[in-house]
PDB file of all heavy atoms in Angstrom:
ATOM      1  N   ARG N 100      -5.637  11.695  18.535  1.00 86.00           N
ATOM      2  CA  ARG N 100      -4.819  12.394  17.571  1.00 86.00           C
ATOM      3  C   ARG N 100      -3.707  13.329  18.376  1.00 86.00           C
ATOM      4  O   ARG N 100      -2.571  13.356  17.903  1.00 86.00           O
ATOM      5  CB  ARG N 100      -5.633  13.288  16.702  1.00 86.00           C
ATOM      6  CG  ARG N 100      -6.542  12.623  15.680  1.00 86.00           C
ATOM      7  CD  ARG N 100      -7.007  13.409  14.624  1.00 86.00           C
ATOM      8  NE  ARG N 100      -7.907  14.626  15.085  1.00 86.00           N
ATOM      9  CZ  ARG N 100      -9.101  14.471  15.192  1.00 86.00           C
ATOM     10  NH1 ARG N 100      -9.855  13.368  14.841  1.00 86.00           N
ATOM     11  NH2 ARG N 100      -9.814  15.478  15.692  1.00 86.00           N
ATOM     12  N   LYS N 101      -4.058  13.777  19.479  1.00 85.00           N
ATOM     13  CA  LYS N 101      -3.128  14.557  20.237  1.00 85.00           C
ATOM     14  C   LYS N 101      -2.116  13.689  20.831  1.00 85.00           C
ATOM     15  O   LYS N 101      -0.917  13.983  20.829  1.00 85.00           O
ATOM     16  CB  LYS N 101      -3.859  15.340  21.317  1.00 85.00           C
ATOM     17  CG  LYS N 101      -4.751  16.494  20.901  1.00 85.00           C
ATOM     18  CD  LYS N 101      -5.530  17.232  22.025  1.00 85.00           C
ATOM     19  CE  LYS N 101      -6.230  18.376  21.469  1.00 85.00           C
ATOM     20  NZ  LYS N 101      -6.980  18.988  22.600  1.00 85.00           N
ATOM     21  N   GLU N 102      -2.450  12.469  21.285  1.00 86.00           N
ATOM     22  CA  GLU N 102      -1.501  11.511  21.786  1.00 86.00           C
ATOM     23  C   GLU N 102      -0.511  11.181  20.809  1.00 86.00           C
ATOM     24  O   GLU N 102       0.666  10.942  20.887  1.00 86.00           O
ATOM     25  CB  GLU N 102      -2.144  10.371  22.340  1.00 86.00           C
ATOM     26  CG  GLU N 102      -1.238   9.250  22.937  1.00 86.00           C
ATOM     27  CD  GLU N 102      -0.463   9.813  24.101  1.00 86.00           C
ATOM     28  OE1 GLU N 102      -0.868  10.784  24.788  1.00 86.00           O
ATOM     29  OE2 GLU N 102       0.558   9.221  24.434  1.00 86.00           O
ATOM     30  N   LEU N 103      -1.035  10.812  19.505  1.00 86.00           N
ATOM     31  CA  LEU N 103      -0.165  10.483  18.412  1.00 86.00           C
ATOM     32  C   LEU N 103       0.719  11.651  18.034  1.00 86.00           C
ATOM     33  O   LEU N 103       1.972  11.531  17.733  1.00 86.00           O
ATOM     34  CB  LEU N 103      -0.947  10.096  17.203  1.00 86.00           C
ATOM     35  CG  LEU N 103      -1.574   8.642  17.199  1.00 86.00           C
ATOM     36  CD1 LEU N 103      -2.476   8.538  15.891  1.00 86.00           C
ATOM     37  CD2 LEU N 103      -0.356   7.680  17.068  1.00 86.00           C
ATOM     38  N   SER N 104       0.149  12.880  18.049  1.00 83.00           N
ATOM     39  CA  SER N 104       1.019  14.090  17.747  1.00 83.00           C
ATOM     40  C   SER N 104       2.143  14.243  18.801  1.00 83.00           C
ATOM     41  O   SER N 104       3.219  14.466  18.370  1.00 83.00           O
ATOM     42  CB  SER N 104       0.106  15.302  17.822  1.00 83.00           C
ATOM     43  OG  SER N 104       0.888  16.538  17.727  1.00 83.00           O
ATOM     44  N   ARG N 105       1.931  13.870  20.063  1.00 85.00           N
ATOM     45  CA  ARG N 105       2.962  14.085  20.964  1.00 85.00           C
ATOM     46  C   ARG N 105       4.037  12.917  20.879  1.00 85.00           C
ATOM     47  O   ARG N 105       5.198  13.139  21.007  1.00 85.00           O
ATOM     48  CB  ARG N 105       2.335  13.851  22.428  1.00 85.00           C
ATOM     49  CG  ARG N 105       3.299  14.166  23.574  1.00 85.00           C
ATOM     50  CD  ARG N 105       2.649  13.769  24.890  1.00 85.00           C
ATOM     51  NE  ARG N 105       2.297  12.370  24.913  1.00 85.00           N
ATOM     52  CZ  ARG N 105       3.086  11.408  25.265  1.00 85.00           C
ATOM     53  NH1 ARG N 105       4.330  11.613  25.409  1.00 85.00           N
ATOM     54  NH2 ARG N 105       2.677  10.130  25.351  1.00 85.00           N
ATOM     55  N   GLN N 106       3.554  11.702  20.505  1.00 85.00           N
ATOM     56  CA  GLN N 106       4.546  10.589  20.380  1.00 85.00           C
ATOM     57  C   GLN N 106       5.376  10.721  19.227  1.00 85.00           C
ATOM     58  O   GLN N 106       6.586  10.408  19.219  1.00 85.00           O
ATOM     59  CB  GLN N 106       3.781   9.241  20.333  1.00 85.00           C
ATOM     60  CG  GLN N 106       2.978   8.847  21.647  1.00 85.00           C
ATOM     61  CD  GLN N 106       2.308   7.671  21.467  1.00 85.00           C
ATOM     62  OE1 GLN N 106       2.261   6.961  20.391  1.00 85.00           O
ATOM     63  NE2 GLN N 106       1.559   7.162  22.513  1.00 85.00           N
ATOM     64  N   LEU N 107       4.819  11.176  18.090  1.00 85.00           N
ATOM     65  CA  LEU N 107       5.488  11.115  16.736  1.00 85.00           C
ATOM     66  C   LEU N 107       6.135  12.543  16.493  1.00 85.00           C
ATOM     67  O   LEU N 107       6.928  12.641  15.445  1.00 85.00           O
ATOM     68  CB  LEU N 107       4.551  10.851  15.648  1.00 85.00           C
ATOM     69  CG  LEU N 107       3.959   9.434  15.700  1.00 85.00           C
ATOM     70  CD1 LEU N 107       3.144   9.150  14.576  1.00 85.00           C
ATOM     71  CD2 LEU N 107       4.998   8.317  15.765  1.00 85.00           C
ATOM     72  N   GLY N 108       5.840  13.536  17.309  1.00 84.00           N
ATOM     73  CA  GLY N 108       6.435  14.891  17.082  1.00 84.00           C
ATOM     74  C   GLY N 108       5.834  15.608  15.834  1.00 84.00           C
ATOM     75  O   GLY N 108       6.580  16.324  15.185  1.00 84.00           O
ATOM     76  N   LEU N 109       4.490  15.263  15.568  1.00 85.00           N
ATOM     77  CA  LEU N 109       3.918  15.967  14.425  1.00 85.00           C
ATOM     78  C   LEU N 109       2.838  16.833  14.911  1.00 85.00           C
ATOM     79  O   LEU N 109       2.285  16.734  16.052  1.00 85.00           O
ATOM     80  CB  LEU N 109       3.284  14.897  13.480  1.00 85.00           C
ATOM     81  CG  LEU N 109       4.210  13.910  12.746  1.00 85.00           C
ATOM     82  CD1 LEU N 109       3.455  12.740  12.129  1.00 85.00           C
ATOM     83  CD2 LEU N 109       5.128  14.623  11.803  1.00 85.00           C
ATOM     84  N   ASP N 110       2.417  17.792  13.991  1.00 85.00           N
ATOM     85  CA  ASP N 110       1.356  18.713  14.382  1.00 85.00           C
ATOM     86  C   ASP N 110       0.079  17.934  14.436  1.00 85.00           C
ATOM     87  O   ASP N 110      -0.198  17.028  13.817  1.00 85.00           O
ATOM     88  CB  ASP N 110       1.287  19.817  13.315  1.00 85.00           C
ATOM     89  CG  ASP N 110       0.295  20.971  13.729  1.00 85.00           C
ATOM     90  OD1 ASP N 110       0.568  21.671  14.660  1.00 85.00           O
ATOM     91  OD2 ASP N 110      -0.810  20.856  13.076  1.00 85.00           O
ATOM     92  N   HIS N 111      -0.795  18.464  15.243  1.00 82.00           N
ATOM     93  CA  HIS N 111      -2.154  17.866  15.428  1.00 82.00           C
ATOM     94  C   HIS N 111      -2.979  17.801  14.113  1.00 82.00           C
ATOM     95  O   HIS N 111      -3.568  16.856  13.822  1.00 82.00           O
ATOM     96  CB  HIS N 111      -2.960  18.716  16.501  1.00 82.00           C
ATOM     97  CG  HIS N 111      -4.382  18.309  16.603  1.00 82.00           C
ATOM     98  ND1 HIS N 111      -4.764  17.148  17.185  1.00 82.00           N
ATOM     99  CD2 HIS N 111      -5.577  18.891  16.204  1.00 82.00           C
ATOM    100  CE1 HIS N 111      -6.078  17.090  17.137  1.00 82.00           C
ATOM    101  NE2 HIS N 111      -6.541  18.188  16.467  1.00 82.00           N
ATOM    102  N   HIS N 112      -2.812  18.864  13.313  1.00 84.00           N
ATOM    103  CA  HIS N 112      -3.572  18.944  12.031  1.00 84.00           C
ATOM    104  C   HIS N 112      -2.922  17.965  11.015  1.00 84.00           C
ATOM    105  O   HIS N 112      -3.567  17.386  10.177  1.00 84.00           O
ATOM    106  CB  HIS N 112      -3.517  20.287  11.514  1.00 84.00           C
ATOM    107  CG  HIS N 112      -4.332  21.340  12.212  1.00 84.00           C
ATOM    108  ND1 HIS N 112      -5.570  21.270  12.250  1.00 84.00           N
ATOM    109  CD2 HIS N 112      -3.921  22.312  12.975  1.00 84.00           C
ATOM    110  CE1 HIS N 112      -6.102  22.197  13.027  1.00 84.00           C
ATOM    111  NE2 HIS N 112      -5.030  22.962  13.462  1.00 84.00           N
ATOM    112  N   GLN N 113      -1.488  17.723  11.157  1.00 86.00           N
ATOM    113  CA  GLN N 113      -0.922  16.743  10.269  1.00 86.00           C
ATOM    114  C   GLN N 113      -1.544  15.278  10.460  1.00 86.00           C
ATOM    115  O   GLN N 113      -1.732  14.558   9.539  1.00 86.00           O
ATOM    116  CB  GLN N 113       0.664  16.728  10.417  1.00 86.00           C
ATOM    117  CG  GLN N 113       1.281  17.929   9.952  1.00 86.00           C
ATOM    118  CD  GLN N 113       2.775  17.979  10.206  1.00 86.00           C
ATOM    119  OE1 GLN N 113       3.216  17.824  11.392  1.00 86.00           O
ATOM    120  NE2 GLN N 113       3.540  18.103   9.180  1.00 86.00           N
ATOM    121  N   ILE N 114      -1.672  14.939  11.836  1.00 86.00           N
ATOM    122  CA  ILE N 114      -2.256  13.694  12.117  1.00 86.00           C
ATOM    123  C   ILE N 114      -3.699  13.580  11.556  1.00 86.00           C
ATOM    124  O   ILE N 114      -4.055  12.472  10.936  1.00 86.00           O
ATOM    125  CB  ILE N 114      -2.308  13.442  13.571  1.00 86.00           C
ATOM    126  CG1 ILE N 114      -0.770  13.574  14.197  1.00 86.00           C
ATOM    127  CG2 ILE N 114      -2.908  12.124  13.973  1.00 86.00           C
ATOM    128  CD1 ILE N 114       0.062  12.484  13.708  1.00 86.00           C
ATOM    129  N   LYS N 115      -4.458  14.679  11.721  1.00 86.00           N
ATOM    130  CA  LYS N 115      -5.768  14.603  11.239  1.00 86.00           C
ATOM    131  C   LYS N 115      -5.936  14.412   9.740  1.00 86.00           C
ATOM    132  O   LYS N 115      -6.666  13.640   9.230  1.00 86.00           O
ATOM    133  CB  LYS N 115      -6.463  15.913  11.663  1.00 86.00           C
ATOM    134  CG  LYS N 115      -7.849  16.099  11.191  1.00 86.00           C
ATOM    135  CD  LYS N 115      -8.404  17.552  11.677  1.00 86.00           C
ATOM    136  CE  LYS N 115      -9.746  17.769  11.088  1.00 86.00           C
ATOM    137  NZ  LYS N 115     -10.275  18.991  11.456  1.00 86.00           N
ATOM    138  N   PHE N 116      -5.137  15.213   8.989  1.00 87.00           N
ATOM    139  CA  PHE N 116      -5.115  15.106   7.535  1.00 87.00           C
ATOM    140  C   PHE N 116      -4.584  13.832   6.995  1.00 87.00           C
ATOM    141  O   PHE N 116      -5.100  13.299   5.945  1.00 87.00           O
ATOM    142  CB  PHE N 116      -4.374  16.262   6.938  1.00 87.00           C
ATOM    143  CG  PHE N 116      -4.950  17.633   7.247  1.00 87.00           C
ATOM    144  CD1 PHE N 116      -4.137  18.732   7.405  1.00 87.00           C
ATOM    145  CD2 PHE N 116      -6.401  17.740   7.546  1.00 87.00           C
ATOM    146  CE1 PHE N 116      -4.636  20.018   7.878  1.00 87.00           C
ATOM    147  CE2 PHE N 116      -6.837  19.038   7.964  1.00 87.00           C
ATOM    148  CZ  PHE N 116      -5.940  20.156   8.038  1.00 87.00           C
ATOM    149  N   TRP N 117      -3.592  13.272   7.655  1.00 87.00           N
ATOM    150  CA  TRP N 117      -3.104  11.941   7.200  1.00 87.00           C
ATOM    151  C   TRP N 117      -4.176  10.884   7.191  1.00 87.00           C
ATOM    152  O   TRP N 117      -4.285  10.106   6.308  1.00 87.00           O
ATOM    153  CB  TRP N 117      -1.892  11.552   8.041  1.00 87.00           C
ATOM    154  CG  TRP N 117      -1.159  10.444   7.516  1.00 87.00           C
ATOM    155  CD1 TRP N 117      -0.122  10.420   6.733  1.00 87.00           C
ATOM    156  CD2 TRP N 117      -1.508   8.998   7.756  1.00 87.00           C
ATOM    157  NE1 TRP N 117       0.277   9.086   6.363  1.00 87.00           N
ATOM    158  CE2 TRP N 117      -0.602   8.117   7.067  1.00 87.00           C
ATOM    159  CE3 TRP N 117      -2.501   8.402   8.566  1.00 87.00           C
ATOM    160  CZ2 TRP N 117      -0.633   6.862   7.091  1.00 87.00           C
ATOM    161  CZ3 TRP N 117      -2.483   6.970   8.497  1.00 87.00           C
ATOM    162  CH2 TRP N 117      -1.617   6.198   7.806  1.00 87.00           C
TER     163      TRP N 117
END
Side-chain angles (χ1 to χ4, degrees):
R100 289 198 298 270
K101 289 180 179 179
E102 180 63 23
L103 280 173
S104 174
R105 186 187 63 78
Q106 292 177 0
L107 301 178
L109 296 173
D110 184 75
H111 172 73
H112 293 291
Q113 289 178 304
I114 300 295
K115 175 181 177 181
F116 299 148
W117 188 94

